[in-house]
Amino acid sequence: MAVLVTGAAGFIGMHLCQRLMARGEAVIGIDNLNDYYSVQLKKDRLATLENDLFSFEKVDFSDHLALEKALSDKDFDRIVHLGAQAGVRYSLTHPRAYIEANVMGHLNLMEVARDRQTAHMVYASSSSVYGGNESFPFRVEDRVDQPVSLYAATKKSDELMSETYAHLYRLPMTGLRFFTVYGPWGRPDMAMWIFTKAILAGKPIPVFNHGKMQRDFTYVDDIVSGVVAVLDSPPADDGEIKAGGSTKPHALYNIGNNRSEELSHMIDVLEDAIGKKAERDLQPMQPGDVPATAADISAIQNELGFEPSTPIDIGIPKFVDWYRGYHGNRSG
């Protein structure tokens, strides 16, 4: 039976589809190919997935009628729901896009799971749910009810709705709080891409909070290893307390590199990989952003054996090599 992957043309989605097919899994991918960032990049990702094990439907999952029609003749027993409207800063100017994709879209996928009685629905949450949390590193047991962006609020809403469906319909659900994912085929709105593009072009890079930022940069291959481990381990409906505190078949895990890096150090490593110094334009903190993130991954380590293995001094050069290759015949 196949796995349904939403956001299949996205950064993590593409890598996950490749990993699933590499172990012989059939994958049904869906994506609406919106223009939040380069549609061509999304199409190029999809081109890497051409395989007898892969089928694709272009559909907007926030439209439940279109979603149901697109999936009506498809057979699958698990769902990995990675599709979403991403980005903290974009939510300041386009709030409705987040409610439609991240709240209505999540509800629609849960209804698909309920109707199909899927064996497991894994979904993407975000480290952004921790907001202004002052405990460090962030633990899945921490309270997360003070979001500082609408994006974070929608991801917290997804977790709450999932808890409800796990309670009402006993659907096995697992939410994954991703921490600053980077790597080949990454997103153009992420710092790694923005900085690389600017440094190569000899332009200044915007360094927010005057560089006093920390992020748990996580290489995409490590993230995918965590997603697959979670997919293979649906939470049991046994009344026991799961990671995140639920007694329903609903778990929450942090997935990060387990090492928070100073933004200035990340830029140093990026400069070395590119072979060129950056012109750093120091700016104040942006609305909706947080100064530091760090993942306590003890739950997923202890329960599923997840161990990230790619430090930034290995992962960043891999991204830069891919970026240069990808943009060899393109403008960046």
Short mmCIF file of all heavy atoms in Angstrom, two decimals, residues 116-140:
data_model
loop_
_atom_site.label_atom_id
_atom_site.label_comp_id
_atom_site.label_asym_id
_atom_site.label_seq_id
_atom_site.Cartn_x
_atom_site.Cartn_y
_atom_site.Cartn_z
N ARG A 116 -10.58 7.13 5.63
CA ARG A 116 -9.82 5.96 5.18
C ARG A 116 -9.38 5.06 6.33
O ARG A 116 -8.88 3.97 6.10
CB ARG A 116 -8.56 6.41 4.42
CG ARG A 116 -8.81 7.31 3.22
CD ARG A 116 -9.27 6.54 2.01
NE ARG A 116 -9.36 7.37 0.83
CZ ARG A 116 -8.66 7.17 -0.29
NH1 ARG A 116 -7.82 6.15 -0.37
NH2 ARG A 116 -8.81 7.97 -1.32
N GLN A 117 -9.52 5.57 7.56
CA GLN A 117 -9.00 4.86 8.74
C GLN A 117 -7.52 4.50 8.53
O GLN A 117 -7.10 3.34 8.66
CB GLN A 117 -9.82 3.61 9.03
CG GLN A 117 -11.17 3.92 9.67
CD GLN A 117 -11.02 4.59 11.04
OE1 GLN A 117 -10.49 4.02 11.99
NE2 GLN A 117 -11.49 5.84 11.16
N THR A 118 -6.74 5.52 8.18
CA THR A 118 -5.33 5.30 7.91
C THR A 118 -4.59 4.81 9.15
O THR A 118 -4.94 5.15 10.28
CB THR A 118 -4.66 6.59 7.40
OG1 THR A 118 -4.85 7.63 8.35
CG2 THR A 118 -5.24 7.04 6.08
N ALA A 119 -3.54 4.04 8.91
CA ALA A 119 -2.78 3.44 10.00
C ALA A 119 -1.99 4.47 10.78
O ALA A 119 -1.69 4.26 11.97
CB ALA A 119 -1.84 2.37 9.45
N HIS A 120 -1.65 5.59 10.14
CA HIS A 120 -0.85 6.62 10.81
C HIS A 120 -0.86 7.88 9.96
O HIS A 120 -0.68 7.81 8.74
CB HIS A 120 0.60 6.14 10.98
CG HIS A 120 1.42 6.95 11.94
ND1 HIS A 120 2.78 6.78 12.07
CD2 HIS A 120 1.08 7.91 12.82
CE1 HIS A 120 3.25 7.60 12.99
NE2 HIS A 120 2.23 8.30 13.46
N MET A 121 -1.07 9.03 10.59
CA MET A 121 -0.91 10.32 9.93
C MET A 121 0.18 11.09 10.66
O MET A 121 0.03 11.45 11.82
CB MET A 121 -2.21 11.12 9.90
CG MET A 121 -2.04 12.50 9.28
SD MET A 121 -3.62 13.35 9.00
CE MET A 121 -3.07 15.07 8.91
N VAL A 122 1.28 11.31 9.96
CA VAL A 122 2.38 12.12 10.47
C VAL A 122 2.24 13.50 9.86
O VAL A 122 1.96 13.63 8.66
CB VAL A 122 3.74 11.50 10.07
CG1 VAL A 122 4.90 12.36 10.56
CG2 VAL A 122 3.85 10.08 10.59
N TYR A 123 2.41 14.54 10.66
CA TYR A 123 2.23 15.89 10.13
C TYR A 123 3.33 16.82 10.62
O TYR A 123 3.94 16.61 11.68
CB TYR A 123 0.86 16.45 10.52
CG TYR A 123 0.64 16.66 12.01
CD1 TYR A 123 0.90 17.88 12.61
CD2 TYR A 123 0.17 15.62 12.81
CE1 TYR A 123 0.69 18.08 13.98
CE2 TYR A 123 -0.03 15.78 14.17
CZ TYR A 123 0.24 17.02 14.75
OH TYR A 123 0.04 17.20 16.10
N ALA A 124 3.58 17.85 9.82
CA ALA A 124 4.62 18.82 10.12
C ALA A 124 4.09 19.91 11.04
O ALA A 124 3.14 20.62 10.69
CB ALA A 124 5.15 19.44 8.84
N SER A 125 4.68 20.01 12.21
CA SER A 125 4.50 21.19 13.03
C SER A 125 5.76 22.03 12.86
O SER A 125 6.40 21.98 11.81
CB SER A 125 4.23 20.80 14.49
OG SER A 125 3.93 21.95 15.27
N SER A 126 6.15 22.79 13.87
CA SER A 126 7.29 23.68 13.71
C SER A 126 7.85 24.08 15.06
O SER A 126 7.11 24.20 16.04
CB SER A 126 6.87 24.94 12.94
OG SER A 126 7.87 25.93 12.98
N SER A 127 9.15 24.33 15.10
CA SER A 127 9.76 24.89 16.32
C SER A 127 9.20 26.27 16.63
O SER A 127 9.33 26.75 17.77
CB SER A 127 11.28 24.97 16.16
OG SER A 127 11.64 25.82 15.08
N SER A 128 8.56 26.92 15.65
CA SER A 128 7.98 28.25 15.88
C SER A 128 6.91 28.23 16.97
O SER A 128 6.61 29.28 17.55
CB SER A 128 7.38 28.80 14.59
OG SER A 128 8.38 29.03 13.62
N VAL A 129 6.32 27.05 17.26
CA VAL A 129 5.27 27.01 18.28
C VAL A 129 5.81 27.41 19.65
O VAL A 129 5.04 27.82 20.53
CB VAL A 129 4.60 25.62 18.38
CG1 VAL A 129 3.97 25.23 17.05
CG2 VAL A 129 5.56 24.56 18.87
N TYR A 130 7.13 27.30 19.86
CA TYR A 130 7.69 27.64 21.17
C TYR A 130 7.70 29.14 21.43
O TYR A 130 7.83 29.57 22.59
CB TYR A 130 9.11 27.06 21.29
CG TYR A 130 9.12 25.56 21.38
CD1 TYR A 130 9.51 24.77 20.30
CD2 TYR A 130 8.71 24.91 22.54
CE1 TYR A 130 9.51 23.39 20.38
CE2 TYR A 130 8.70 23.52 22.63
CZ TYR A 130 9.10 22.77 21.55
OH TYR A 130 9.09 21.41 21.64
N GLY A 131 7.55 29.96 20.39
CA GLY A 131 7.42 31.40 20.57
C GLY A 131 8.50 31.99 21.44
O GLY A 131 9.69 31.77 21.24
N GLY A 132 8.07 32.72 22.47
CA GLY A 132 9.01 33.36 23.38
C GLY A 132 9.40 32.50 24.56
O GLY A 132 9.81 33.02 25.60
N ASN A 133 9.28 31.19 24.42
CA ASN A 133 9.61 30.27 25.49
C ASN A 133 11.02 30.55 26.03
O ASN A 133 11.98 30.63 25.27
CB ASN A 133 9.53 28.83 24.96
CG ASN A 133 9.63 27.79 26.06
OD1 ASN A 133 9.74 28.12 27.22
ND2 ASN A 133 9.58 26.53 25.67
N GLU A 134 11.14 30.69 27.34
CA GLU A 134 12.43 31.04 27.92
C GLU A 134 13.22 29.84 28.42
O GLU A 134 14.40 29.96 28.76
CB GLU A 134 12.22 32.05 29.06
CG GLU A 134 11.68 33.38 28.57
CD GLU A 134 11.50 34.39 29.69
OE1 GLU A 134 11.73 34.03 30.87
OE2 GLU A 134 11.12 35.54 29.39
N SER A 135 12.60 28.66 28.50
CA SER A 135 13.36 27.47 28.87
C SER A 135 14.16 27.01 27.65
O SER A 135 13.72 27.14 26.51
CB SER A 135 12.43 26.35 29.34
OG SER A 135 11.66 25.85 28.27
N PHE A 136 15.35 26.49 27.90
CA PHE A 136 16.27 26.20 26.81
C PHE A 136 17.09 24.96 27.16
O PHE A 136 17.64 24.90 28.27
CB PHE A 136 17.18 27.42 26.63
CG PHE A 136 17.69 27.64 25.24
CD1 PHE A 136 16.85 28.09 24.24
CD2 PHE A 136 19.02 27.41 24.94
CE1 PHE A 136 17.34 28.31 22.96
CE2 PHE A 136 19.52 27.63 23.67
CZ PHE A 136 18.67 28.07 22.68
N PRO A 137 17.16 23.98 26.31
CA PRO A 137 16.54 23.86 24.99
C PRO A 137 15.04 23.60 25.10
O PRO A 137 14.53 23.28 26.17
CB PRO A 137 17.26 22.66 24.37
CG PRO A 137 17.64 21.81 25.54
CD PRO A 137 17.97 22.77 26.65
N PHE A 138 14.34 23.75 23.96
CA PHE A 138 12.90 23.58 23.94
C PHE A 138 12.54 22.10 24.08
O PHE A 138 13.08 21.25 23.36
CB PHE A 138 12.32 24.11 22.63
CG PHE A 138 12.58 25.58 22.39
CD1 PHE A 138 12.59 26.08 21.11
CD2 PHE A 138 12.81 26.45 23.45
CE1 PHE A 138 12.82 27.43 20.86
CE2 PHE A 138 13.04 27.80 23.22
CZ PHE A 138 13.04 28.29 21.92
N ARG A 139 11.61 21.82 24.99
CA ARG A 139 11.16 20.44 25.21
C ARG A 139 9.71 20.29 24.78
O ARG A 139 8.92 21.23 24.92
CB ARG A 139 11.28 20.09 26.70
CG ARG A 139 12.66 20.29 27.31
CD ARG A 139 12.62 20.02 28.81
NE ARG A 139 11.56 20.80 29.44
CZ ARG A 139 10.75 20.33 30.40
NH1 ARG A 139 10.87 19.08 30.82
NH2 ARG A 139 9.84 21.10 30.92
N VAL A 140 9.35 19.11 24.30
CA VAL A 140 7.97 18.92 23.86
C VAL A 140 6.99 19.04 25.02
O VAL A 140 5.79 19.26 24.81
CB VAL A 140 7.77 17.55 23.15
CG1 VAL A 140 8.46 17.55 21.80
CG2 VAL A 140 8.24 16.40 24.01
#
